[in-house]
Amino acid sequence: MSEPDRFEDDLLYALTRTGEGFRPDQADQPGMVAGGYQRGRRRWRHRSAAAVVGGAAALALVGTGAVYLTGSASPSGAGTVAAAPAASTGAGTGLTPASAGAGTPTPTATAAVTGDEVLSTFKALLPKGGITEASGRGTDDPQTKGTFASAELVFDDGAGKSRLMLGVQKHRPGQGQDRSCPELKPGQLDACSVTTLADGSKLYLSEGYEYPDHRADTKEWMASLTGPDGREINLSEWNSPQEKGAPDSRPNPPLTLDQLKVIVTDKSWDRIVAAVKPDGVDDAAQSTGLSLQDRQATLAKLLPAGVTVTKVDGNEVFTNVQLRQGGTSGSLVLRVQKLVQQPGDKATEKLFEGATVLPEGGLLKLYGPGTSDSKAMPMADVLRGDLRVMAAQGPTGKPLLSLDQLKAIATSPEWTLKR
């Protein structure tokens, strides 16, 4: 998946998320092997894209920067070979939670870990049993660029084979989202809990099914740990040697929820978490230094007479603005961004292909009625040096601003970098 596609994927998730069971883990990284849950979520997000913005306008919204409208996301980390990690106290028994402090802050990204190291860490935490079809993915994998580590295998304690899959990632501050338990309904989840550990980590445990509609009776039990340092460690197990498409080999998965808890909270993951790079977009690096209050004050001077701001929220780059004109409410998406591009990144250049050159030398792209992308949401996107300003009709309420008015907002010289 290309850079623009990945950003588009995340933006539309942020714009259309319902908060009902979708969580922003990084399913957008190329080659990520986090299983059917993530792939299904990505398909859902792509379907949402067409419903919200459409075509080139979606790419203009995301381009090469932050995509979240609020501080919480979303959506949603050359190898050095080290010795295989030793098992922590209690490892292999699944009975003694020896590492309640697993979520404590760890150093920033360290030397890469290999897939073999991730797999060895996982194996060391399992009880006695046979292991086959084992594989690992480390932070040295060029496909995930260090933002993800994983291991999976087939485990057999003598009572039948079970597929186990584990993934490790790390979110930037404000870009993670804890799991929550839905209302328990017969046949969907047999058990679910969310607890806060001593170090502030949140632990989600559930006993559920691969298919809520029970087209097959395969069970999926899982543990998910989110920590103050941004870590997210997910572990799933099935009572089948495959996640899907294989007969059940035993009545239940082999590990109890307590055993799953011991694995995801173990201190031996600290070293791997430290090697995983944060996923998502670094909003702080693209901040113009304009606070929400600064942006609101500038916008108030640029809005047409009779249109007022009733509420703003957002992050360092995006602002979601609620508007009112008389008795009618509407919204505006405002992007004010310091452009930060990686070497060789051509995404922004492609976004502004065919743009109108402004008198002061900036570039302007328009979307919506009367443009080449006439079915897109009305939007004006401006690039002046390393400052990008975009004003777009928001997803809620009535359209209160014309395309010309959006253009006037985006092209205004009032927008400047404060740092």
Side-chain angles (χ1 to χ4, degrees):
M1 184 183 297
S2 68
E3 286 294 323
D5 287 341
R6 288 203 297 275
F7 287 126
E8 177 182 358
D9 205 17
D10 264 314
L11 167 74
L12 276 310
Y13 171 63
L15 283 172
T16 61
R17 60 182 176 169
T18 63
E20 298 175 350
F22 296 100
R23 59 181 187 83
D25 50 328
Q26 275 313 96
D28 56 345
Q29 295 291 353
M32 184 168 287
V33 285
Y37 176 90
Q38 289 90 337
R39 290 191 296 273
R41 176 175 166 274
R42 181 162 54 197
R43 286 193 294 270
W44 173 82
R45 286 158 64 185
H46 276 305
R47 286 196 300 271
S48 301
V52 179
V53 220
L59 290 178
L61 269 170
V62 285
T64 56
V67 296
Y68 304 111
L69 299 186
T70 63
S72 62
S74 104
S76 192
T80 299
V81 179
S88 303
T89 304
T93 65
L95 298 176
T96 306
S99 53
T104 53
T106 57
T108 54
T110 59
V113 295
T114 66
D116 287 344
E117 291 178 83
V118 180
L119 181 59
S120 295
T121 301
F122 189 27
K123 285 182 175 179
L125 297 172
L126 293 173
K128 292 182 179 180
I131 293 176
T132 56
E133 300 181 33
S135 64
R137 171 170 290 194
T139 59
D140 59 345
D141 189 319
Q143 287 187 303
T144 58
K145 299 180 181 179
T147 61
F148 187 71
S150 67
E152 69 173 295
L153 49 82
V154 174
F155 176 76
D156 190 349
D157 59 0
K161 294 182 177 182
S162 169
R163 172 73 58 176
L164 275 67
M165 297 176 64
L166 180 137
V168 181
Q169 59 198 107
K170 188 160 57 181
H171 305 301
R172 298 180 190 278
Q175 292 188 6
Q177 182 176 327
D178 298 329
R179 287 178 177 268
S180 59
C181 287
E183 179 183 353
L184 293 181
K185 296 180 180 179
Q188 293 186 357
L189 283 178
D190 295 332
C192 185
S193 66
V194 178
T195 55
T196 302
L197 306 183
D199 66 347
S201 298
K202 297 291 182 68
L203 176 69
Y204 168 95
L205 298 170
S206 68
E207 294 180 354
Y209 297 83
E210 178 64 27
Y211 297 102
D213 62 3
H214 285 258
R215 73 190 80 166
D217 292 327
T218 304
K219 296 180 180 179
E220 179 188 6
W221 293 2
M222 73 172 301
S224 179
L225 179 78
T226 55
D229 60 351
R231 74 179 61 196
E232 181 176 331
I233 303 175
N234 296 306
L235 173 59
S236 289
E237 59 170 344
W238 292 265
N239 59 326
S240 169
Q242 298 294 333
E243 179 186 358
K244 294 180 174 71
D248 297 345
S249 54
R250 51 191 299 145
N252 292 312
L255 306 182
T256 66
L257 294 185
D258 281 342
Q259 289 174 303
L260 296 178
K261 172 184 175 180
V262 168
I263 293 174
V264 299
T265 59
D266 195 88
K267 290 286 290 181
S268 58
W269 295 115
D270 287 359
R271 184 176 63 91
I272 292 172
V273 169
V276 173
K277 297 177 183 178
D279 54 28
V281 177
D282 189 354
D283 298 325
Q286 300 177 81
S287 172
T288 59
L290 298 172
S291 67
L292 280 176
Q293 291 75 20
D294 293 333
R295 282 171 271 171
Q296 181 175 355
T298 300
L299 180 62
K301 294 186 287 185
L302 303 176
L303 289 172
V307 179
T308 58
V309 175
T310 59
K311 181 182 178 182
V312 297
D313 58 65
N315 59 20
E316 296 92 335
V317 174
F318 273 95
T319 311
N320 188 25
V321 185
Q322 300 302 312
L323 302 173
R324 181 167 292 277
Q325 185 176 37
T328 305
S329 61
S331 61
L332 168 73
V333 177
L334 177 68
R335 171 184 191 152
V336 185
Q337 172 199 3
K338 178 182 178 181
L339 193 64
V340 178
Q341 292 195 97
Q342 299 299 320
D345 184 0
K346 301 293 185 180
T348 300
E349 181 180 319
K350 291 179 181 178
L351 285 173
F352 284 90
E353 284 181 351
T356 300
V357 179
L358 298 172
E360 73 278 12
L363 299 176
L364 168 68
K365 283 293 289 286
L366 296 176
Y367 303 87
T371 72
S372 59
D373 198 349
S374 60
K375 294 183 179 180
M377 176 172 64
M379 179 189 309
D381 198 5
V382 172
L383 182 64
R384 298 201 315 268
D386 58 354
L387 175 66
R388 184 177 177 189
V389 180
M390 181 212 75
Q393 180 182 305
T396 60
K398 299 288 186 180
L400 297 183
L401 302 176
S402 67
L403 185 56
D404 282 342
Q405 290 169 327
L406 293 173
K407 173 183 172 182
I409 292 172
T411 57
S412 171
E414 293 280 345
W415 300 113
T416 58
L417 292 170
K418 286 188 67 175
R419 65 178 187 184

